[in-house]
């Protein structure tokens, strides 16, 4: 079996194990907060990091935040000005505004997100950060995930 097929098979087995042990899956941090509170969850895999921690604590949850030994996924949100922009000065003024200390602080205070002007003291600062890369085949990956969630048998998933 080629290496990529072995990796897909191994990954599929792990996803099936997760599906069997998971109460639910969520797409938004708000959904996670609702599930955590309504289902009295003991463990939540929080893929929104500090933003999710803040939201859960604001909702009254007494929680801790732990980064696994094998690392934590991360992404970087960026502003960009496209080549065909009609009002470049306005776009640049918006970016400058978002970098003002008051706006940067509000992003952290209201949303729990890091900003470019203040140190976060985040728990994962000394941990291993794995930067997300573009998905190799988004259509295939989404189709596989839907089949996993639907309960399809392992023997048929990679066919």
């Amino acid at each position: 079996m080629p290496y990529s097929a072995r990796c897909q098979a191994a990954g599929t087995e792990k996803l099936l194990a997760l599906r069997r042990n998971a109460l639910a899956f969520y797409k938004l941090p708000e959904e996670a907060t609702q599930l955590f509170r309504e289902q009295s969850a003991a463990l939540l895999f929080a893929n929104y990091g500090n933003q999710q921690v803040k939201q859960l604590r604001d909702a009254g949850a007494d929680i801790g935040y732990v980064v696994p030994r094998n690392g934590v996924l991360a992404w970087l949100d960026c502003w960009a000005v496209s080549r065909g922009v009609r009002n470049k000065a306005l776009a640049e003024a918006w970016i400058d505004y978002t970098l003002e200390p008051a706006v940067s602080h509000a992003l952290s205070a209201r949303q729990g997100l890091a900003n470019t002007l203040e140190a976060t003291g985040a728990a994962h600062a000394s941990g291993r950060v794995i930067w997300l890369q573009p998905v190799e085949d988004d259509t295939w990956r989404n189709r596989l995930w839907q089949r996993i969630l639907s309960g399809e048998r392992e023997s048929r998933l990679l066919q």
Side-chain angles (χ1 to χ4, degrees):
M1 181 183 297
Y3 176 76
S4 63
R6 286 195 315 270
C7 288
Q8 288 175 355
T12 301
E13 287 177 28
K14 290 186 182 289
L15 287 171
L16 285 169
L18 282 174
R19 183 198 68 206
R20 287 189 281 272
N21 292 319
L23 169 68
F25 295 93
Y26 62 90
K27 293 180 183 177
L28 300 170
E30 294 82 8
E31 291 176 57
T33 298
Q34 183 179 359
L35 283 166
F36 191 83
R37 295 192 71 218
E38 290 177 0
Q39 301 297 324
S40 300
L43 181 64
L44 173 72
F45 289 96
N47 61 319
Y48 288 94
N50 290 328
Q51 178 184 20
Q52 202 155 25
V53 168
K54 180 179 180 343
Q55 198 169 91
L56 284 161
R57 287 182 177 154
D58 288 351
D62 181 15
I63 62 159
Y65 183 59
V66 178
V67 175
R69 276 188 297 263
N70 60 341
V72 60
L73 296 178
W75 63 89
L76 181 62
D77 292 326
C78 299
W79 286 105
V81 179
S82 63
R83 186 179 358 218
V85 66
R86 290 190 185 118
N87 191 336
K88 186 177 178 189
L90 181 61
E92 290 171 344
W94 171 255
I95 293 171
D96 288 344
Y97 171 74
T98 65
L99 294 172
E100 290 180 6
V103 177
S104 292
H105 179 74
L107 179 68
S108 297
R110 293 180 189 169
Q111 300 297 322
L113 297 169
N115 69 66
T116 59
L117 302 178
E118 300 171 331
T120 63
H124 67 274
S126 62
R128 184 167 171 237
V129 175
I130 303 163
W131 292 98
L132 293 179
Q133 301 293 317
V135 175
E136 68 288 346
D137 184 346
D138 192 49
T139 303
W140 176 84
R141 187 175 283 196
N142 284 328
R143 190 170 55 245
L144 175 62
W145 184 240
Q146 289 307 314
R147 291 172 75 182
I148 289 169
L149 288 177
S150 73
E152 193 158 328
R153 291 186 320 225
E154 183 177 354
S155 61
R156 297 192 52 202
L157 280 174
L158 293 175
Q159 294 177 355

